[in-house]
Amino acid sequence: MTYDELKEQIKAAMKAKDKVRLSILRQVHGEIKNIEVNERREITDADVDAMIKRLIKQTGETLEGSIKAANDDERTETLRQQVAILEELLPEQLSGEALEALVEKTIAELGAETKRDMGRVMKALTAATGGNMDKAAAAKLVGSKLA
């Protein structure tokens, strides 16, 4: 997602009067603005994606705590909606046959043969996909293909 797309989504949420969506989008926007101000640099698409991933993690942890506390069903539902909204903002994660093909290609390119090479392969996969892959599935595939 680009920074401009984020701004457009905020406008659309305002017009639709979607308070939950607007709230989480504004949170993403605020965090990105902090980067822009504190680091005095232009925002990249990678910054937006990284911020969304970070907020998914934070909101997910808050959701888990809310579920364990089991005291406010409305808040728990709002958190669930926010996590879903954040996840749909990220690019499609690589999985299935496409992931398997990339794993095989990466192993061949690196000449990886043993489980000791797993870290190198995972690092190359992360770089190739920009982190947009099912890491658990990728690790399982890499592990099964290396001796």
Side-chain angles (χ1 to χ4, degrees):
M1 162 168 278
T2 66
Y3 192 43
D4 291 332
E5 288 173 345
L6 177 65
K7 290 178 187 176
E8 290 301 316
Q9 290 229 358
I10 290 172
K11 287 179 191 174
M14 288 169 78
K15 288 178 183 175
K17 296 183 182 352
D18 186 346
K19 290 180 181 179
V20 174
R21 186 174 198 85
L22 181 60
S23 168
I24 197 68
L25 291 174
R26 280 186 171 159
Q27 188 174 354
V28 173
H29 185 262
E31 294 287 338
I32 291 169
K33 272 297 201 191
N34 285 342
I35 292 173
E36 196 172 40
V37 170
N38 294 339
E39 298 180 15
R40 294 183 179 93
R41 65 179 175 86
E42 290 293 314
I43 298 299
T44 65
D45 295 347
D47 290 330
V48 176
D49 285 347
M51 188 54 59
I52 292 171
K53 287 177 185 175
R54 196 172 110 216
L55 283 173
I56 287 174
K57 183 178 179 195
Q58 288 175 348
T59 308
E61 289 170 356
T62 305
L63 174 61
E64 288 176 20
S66 182
I67 290 170
K68 286 179 183 174
N71 57 0
D72 189 354
D73 292 337
E74 187 177 325
R75 172 138 172 78
T76 302
E77 185 55 35
T78 299
L79 289 168
R80 274 196 185 101
Q81 290 172 1
Q82 288 178 339
V83 169
I85 290 166
L86 288 169
E87 286 174 345
E88 70 186 44
L89 295 177
L90 286 176
E92 185 84 24
Q93 286 204 337
L94 191 62
S95 61
E97 292 176 8
L99 179 61
E100 189 169 352
L102 183 62
V103 166
E104 290 174 4
K105 178 183 168 199
T106 305
I107 288 173
E109 285 175 358
L110 295 175
E113 295 176 359
T114 66
K115 299 253 186 211
R116 287 184 178 179
D117 299 321
M118 189 161 177
R120 260 186 336 138
V121 174
M122 289 302 292
K123 183 177 179 182
L125 285 171
T126 302
T129 61
N132 289 324
M133 67 175 173
D134 183 350
K135 287 183 177 76
K140 188 175 179 182
L141 276 169
V142 171
S144 70
K145 301 213 182 278
L146 297 176

